[in-house]
Every structure is written in structure tokens, then in C-alpha cells.
Amino acid sequence: MKRGAYIVIVFFAMVCMALSASAQKRGKLVMGGDNLRLLIDMRSTKTEVDSLLKKAGLKGANAAAILKGDFTALKKDGWTMAEKQGNVIEFDRPLEAVNLNPQVTPYLITTKIDNNDNESPGYPADVSFGINNFAKITVHELPSGLTRFFLPGYAQSKRVLLSGNFNNWSTLKGIMAKTDSGWIADIKLKPGKYEYKFIVDGHWTSDRYNNLVSNHDDNSIYFRYNYTFKLNGYANVHKITLAASFNDWDANNIVLEKSPKGWQKQLYLQEGTQAYRFLVDGKWITDPANPNKIQGADGYTNSVLNLGETVVFKLDGYTNAKKVYVGGSFNNWEHGLIPLTKTKTGWASSLIIPPGNYGYKFVVDDNWITDPKNPRNMMEGGVVNSYISVKPNYTFKLSGFNNAKKVHLAGSFNNFDDFGYTLAFNGKEWTVSVYLKPGKQLYKFIVDDKWMIDPGNKLYEPNQYNSGNSVLWIE
């Protein structure tokens, strides 16, 4: 499983009580081989090694002694030295020596080892839409706005926790309260897709009443809804379905449910512009309650739904142009899809775009150009495009370097692309706003082609180039 056994405490029950959020940030936990492996970077500090030993359940080991090369305590606990590569020493322990809830896939305990694990647990995955599928409702929304998770039964259990990508798969947080019929936990979730499991007395278990599970690790999946499609009336029809751009116009997989006023369907829907129509007993109709409509390529008229942030694209000048469009990564660079309207001073268009970082260009009479009023750029497919961030949640700042010709930002959020995002200089500092997913982000500035960590951020970690990466945590 990908996260179900994410922390090595599944092998050592005592670590379940010791692992803290700060320890997770200090050490990295990633998949290992077919036995338990412990990697120690001899450049680590005593504090870091102490934290590492606690995760591995080693009570009598002394960090200072280990850093001096004395591994007696490790050997007594059943660990054997497997190999040494540079400053990193690997110790192995067979799974048969670990009798406390062994999992199918063991995990690697490590610190100061770069493993390119840049995922951001806690953020809803990117999906077009989602609908829950429960045999028995075990997760539901409360009037307070909180989401309640319910685990029926397990009356004899002593401790049950709720763990998922919403709490970094923590084995310390998410303690569930015992009731007369099971265990409950109330948490606050934003609309989106979430994966979760229960930890019952140290054993990871999926929600047996939830029919939605991830393909690779059997994590249960829950969608926090954000939209309801409604079609009032039609009391005498037998079946109404919804086909839309977000479900590839499949008229079979989203069936509306009959309500006292008509028909409706709740679901999670990704922000953006979506086209849709209803199929009422085999007959296509648009949404009578939605005045926004558009002619589809198949000849049908579709209703249009806009969810997200309104972004205004403006291009001054070019008043003699016959046609102007805007294209970008927000519409998969489809040429001519979004026309701009001519104004007194140029061209403009308002679009609904989901939160994120995008490249874009204008198309003036079939000629692609970057935005002349936007100093920020990014590289996509080897091409330089103008850059825009929709609903940015962090602004990177670099003070000084007044004489620099160009400053770029690269990080785990853009695969450390060597062009990155262009920063603009405002007379005092270089800045660029970015939309980042919650979790750990690594980054660097590139000043006139020279890579450097953020001098204004004291938090950094070593990398494979011995140059370090600045570290940022987004809540």
C-alpha cells in the first residue's frame, strides 16, 4: 500500500507514540526492500540520529557512539551492516525478527538521504469529478461543516486512529472516540478527493463499507462534494442522467436521484469551465435553470457551468488585427479555442480557471506572442511562455541582487526545471507568486544562471549535489 503502512511504526508499536510531526519533517520515510532497512548518514547531527533511532525502536543505542563508528547497540538489537556508500551506512534487519504487525511491504527509515519524493500528502488529488460509493454510509458531512468518519464495531479495541492524506498519514493524530456502536472522528475537509485508512490497535485497515479504493494500495477513497446538479420537475420520467465534458460525455455513469422537487445529483467537481446536458428518458435537454449555453462540436447545445477564479486576459494594442485568441496550459494549448473581444484599447477576455500555475500566450492573426505587459515567464516543452498563477498561496521573495539581469525560481513543484518561473524586480526585491499544494516543498533561486538557496530562509536540507535545497512547508 502506498500510505497505509507509510510509517515504519507498523513494525514497532512503541514508535506509534514517539513519532511527531517534526520528526516526520526531519526524516524521510520511503519504500524499502523485502526486509527492514536502516540508513544512517554519518554527516547527520546527534539530534537527527537520536530521532532516527527512536523511529527504529532502538532504546539503548547511543547517537554519539554511532557517529563515532561504534555500532554495538545496533548489532545487539539484531541489525547487521549491509553496505557503506560514501557517508551513508545501511543496516538490515530480517522481518522475522519483527513480530509486531509486519506488513506486506517494509519501509526504509532514513534521514538526509535525497529520494526525490516530492508528493504533497494532504492535498486533494487532481480529478475531474468524483462520486462516493458506500455499501453503508460511514463518512458524511455534519451541519457544522465538519466531516465525520465512522468505524462500526471493534468494541474490544483499545485504540483506533484515522489516518489519511489529510493529516500526512499520521499515526499520532486522528485519534477516534469510542461510541456504543463503533468509533468516530470529526475533521475539517475542503472539497476534493481524499484517501484514508483506520489504524486499529496498530493494524491498518480499509473501510470495509466503502466500495471506492485506490488501485495500488487499497486505501479507501472519499470525495468531499462541492456542487449539486438539479433539474426541477419531470415527476413522471423514469431516468435522468448527466453527460458532461468532465466525464467524457458518458451518458451512463452519472444518474440523477429523484427528490421532492425534481431530480438532483451531488458530486465533487473540479473547478473550471464545464459543459453539460441532461438525458431525460432518452431525450437530450439543456439545463432550463442555467442561461449559459454553447454549441458543441457534435451539434448539440450544451449548458455551461463556471466554477473557479475569474481571470481577465488583456492585450493592449493590435487594433488592426482581425482575430486574437489566448491559449495556455489551462486549456491544453488548443489553438483558437478562446477568442478575445475587441475593446477601445486592444483585446480582452474573462475566463474561469482552477487554482494553479499556468503558461499562456496570445495568438494574433495566427502569430503566437508572449504577454508584453507580463514580466514573468515559464518554460513548457522547451518554449518560453508567459506565466500566471491563479489563487496563489505563497510569494517567493529575494532581497538584494539589484544588479542581477534575471532571477528564476525552481523547485519540487516544477521538477527543478532550470528555467523555472521568472521573478520580477520591484526596485527592492525580486518576487513571484505561486500556487503550491500543502506539504513539503524544496526550492532554489537561479540568479544569472547561478543556483543558490534562499538567503532569507534558514530551513534547508542537503541534496545529492552537496549544495542544499531550501525547504518550505505549506499548510
Side-chain angles (χ1 to χ4, degrees):
M1 62 189 103
K2 183 180 179 182
R3 297 287 186 183
Y6 186 72
I7 300 178
V8 79
I9 55 169
V10 295
F11 299 102
F12 301 95
M14 64 158 287
V15 185
C16 184
M17 304 298 295
L19 186 59
S20 65
S22 61
Q24 290 183 44
K25 293 179 182 180
R26 186 186 303 273
K28 297 285 290 183
L29 302 173
V30 296
M31 284 191 177
D34 57 358
N35 61 346
L36 200 60
R37 301 166 59 208
L38 168 64
L39 270 67
I40 298 179
D41 191 319
M42 299 302 285
R43 296 166 297 180
S44 304
T45 64
K46 180 178 177 297
T47 301
E48 288 172 327
V49 175
D50 276 332
S51 175
L52 188 63
L53 297 177
K54 288 180 180 179
K55 293 182 193 179
L58 286 157
K59 295 182 179 180
N62 182 281
I66 288 176
L67 289 173
K68 291 180 180 179
D70 183 357
F71 308 125
T72 304
L74 287 169
K75 293 178 181 178
K76 288 183 178 179
D77 198 54
W79 295 88
T80 58
M81 183 184 296
E83 64 176 321
K84 183 178 185 296
Q85 293 185 0
N87 295 303
V88 180
I89 302 177
E90 178 184 327
F91 296 87
D92 286 1
R93 187 181 184 186
L95 280 177
E96 54 265 27
V98 185
N99 297 318
L100 298 176
N101 188 25
Q103 301 293 305
V104 175
T105 305
Y107 286 79
L108 174 72
I109 315 171
T110 177
T111 183
K112 281 200 171 186
I113 307 295
D114 185 87
N115 54 24
N116 296 319
D117 182 11
N118 295 321
E119 293 183 332
S120 302
Y123 183 81
D126 293 329
V127 292
S128 298
F129 76 102
I131 299 174
N132 294 312
N133 183 0
F134 288 95
K136 175 181 178 180
I137 301 297
T138 52
V139 187
H140 67 279
E141 303 304 318
L142 301 175
S144 63
L146 296 177
T147 302
R148 172 162 292 179
F149 288 78
F150 175 52
L151 175 64
Y154 294 94
Q156 304 303 317
S157 297
K158 297 180 180 179
R159 180 181 173 89
V160 178
L161 295 95
L162 171 67
S163 184
N165 59 354
F166 41 76
N167 65 3
N168 293 314
W169 295 96
S170 172
T171 56
L172 187 65
K173 302 176 183 178
I175 298 176
M176 303 186 76
K178 192 173 185 179
T179 69
D180 58 349
S181 57
W183 301 75
I184 62 171
D186 298 341
I187 62 175
K188 187 175 182 179
L189 295 179
K190 295 180 180 180
K193 176 186 174 184
Y194 296 91
E195 297 188 13
Y196 68 96
K197 272 185 175 174
F198 302 109
I199 308 175
V200 183
D201 291 334
H203 295 261
W204 293 85
T205 179
S206 302
D207 186 342
R208 65 181 183 273
Y209 295 106
N210 190 341
N211 295 323
L212 289 182
V213 294
S214 57
N215 294 328
H216 50 285
D217 45 25
D218 293 327
N219 291 336
S220 300
I221 296 174
Y222 175 71
F223 290 99
R224 174 75 155 85
Y225 294 157
N226 63 341
Y227 193 78
T228 302
F229 284 93
K230 297 179 180 180
L231 184 60
N232 293 334
Y234 296 91
N236 297 321
V237 304
H238 297 92
K239 183 179 182 181
I240 299 179
T241 61
L242 172 72
S245 54
F246 56 81
N247 75 338
D248 295 325
W249 298 104
D250 187 339
N252 298 309
N253 70 346
I254 303 180
V255 181
L256 273 67
E257 300 156 355
K258 202 166 186 178
S259 68
K261 293 184 178 181
W263 301 75
Q264 66 178 31
K265 187 64 177 181
Q266 284 186 298
L267 72 167
Y268 165 71
L269 184 59
Q270 187 182 65
E271 292 184 342
T273 299
Q274 309 288 359
Y276 68 98
R277 58 182 181 259
F278 298 113
L279 185 62
V280 181
D281 280 349
K283 182 181 178 180
W284 290 109
I285 68 167
T286 56
D287 187 347
N290 184 355
N292 298 320
K293 295 177 174 58
I294 189 172
Q295 189 76 17
D298 55 4
Y300 287 100
T301 300
N302 301 312
S303 298
V304 177
L305 176 66
N306 293 313
L307 293 177
E309 188 82 355
T310 300
V311 178
V312 178
F313 288 91
K314 294 178 63 178
L315 178 63
D316 292 337
Y318 297 93
T319 55
N320 294 324
K322 296 180 179 180
K323 54 184 179 180
V324 176
Y325 299 92
V326 63
S329 49
F330 47 79
N331 73 334
N332 296 318
W333 293 100
E334 294 184 32
H335 179 79
L337 183 63
I338 305 173
L340 272 66
T341 301
K342 198 169 187 178
T343 67
K344 293 181 179 180
T345 59
W347 301 79
S349 179
S350 297
L351 303 178
I352 303 294
I353 302 177
N357 306 309
Y358 304 98
Y360 71 96
K361 274 183 175 176
F362 294 113
V363 189
V364 182
D365 290 339
D366 296 324
N367 294 315
W368 292 80
I369 65 169
T370 55
D371 187 343
K373 290 292 184 70
N374 187 353
R376 295 180 173 88
N377 303 107
M378 65 182 295
M379 183 81 74
E380 293 177 285
V383 178
V384 176
N385 300 311
S386 296
Y387 164 82
I388 186 173
S389 181
V390 180
K391 285 189 177 180
N393 55 1
Y394 191 81
T395 299
F396 289 90
K397 300 178 180 179
L398 179 64
S399 299
F401 299 93
N402 297 16
N403 297 322
K405 295 181 179 180
K406 55 183 179 179
V407 177
H408 298 269
L409 169 71
S412 52
F413 39 82
N414 62 3
N415 296 317
F416 278 97
D417 183 274
D418 55 6
F419 185 91
Y421 302 147
T422 304
L423 280 72
F425 188 63
N426 60 15
K428 294 182 179 180
E429 57 189 2
W430 298 83
T431 67
V432 64
S433 296
V434 180
Y435 176 80
L436 299 175
K437 297 179 180 180
K440 181 181 179 181
Q441 303 287 355
L442 305 176
Y443 70 97
K444 271 187 170 180
F445 294 117
I446 310 171
V447 181
D448 289 338
D449 299 322
K450 182 180 179 180
W451 292 73
M452 59 177 291
I453 60 175
D454 185 352
N457 183 359
K458 296 181 179 180
L459 187 61
Y460 73 96
E461 68 179 33
N463 59 15
Q464 66 268 41
Y465 306 108
N466 295 319
S467 59
N469 293 317
S470 294
V471 179
L472 175 68
W473 285 90
I474 300 295
E475 299 298 331

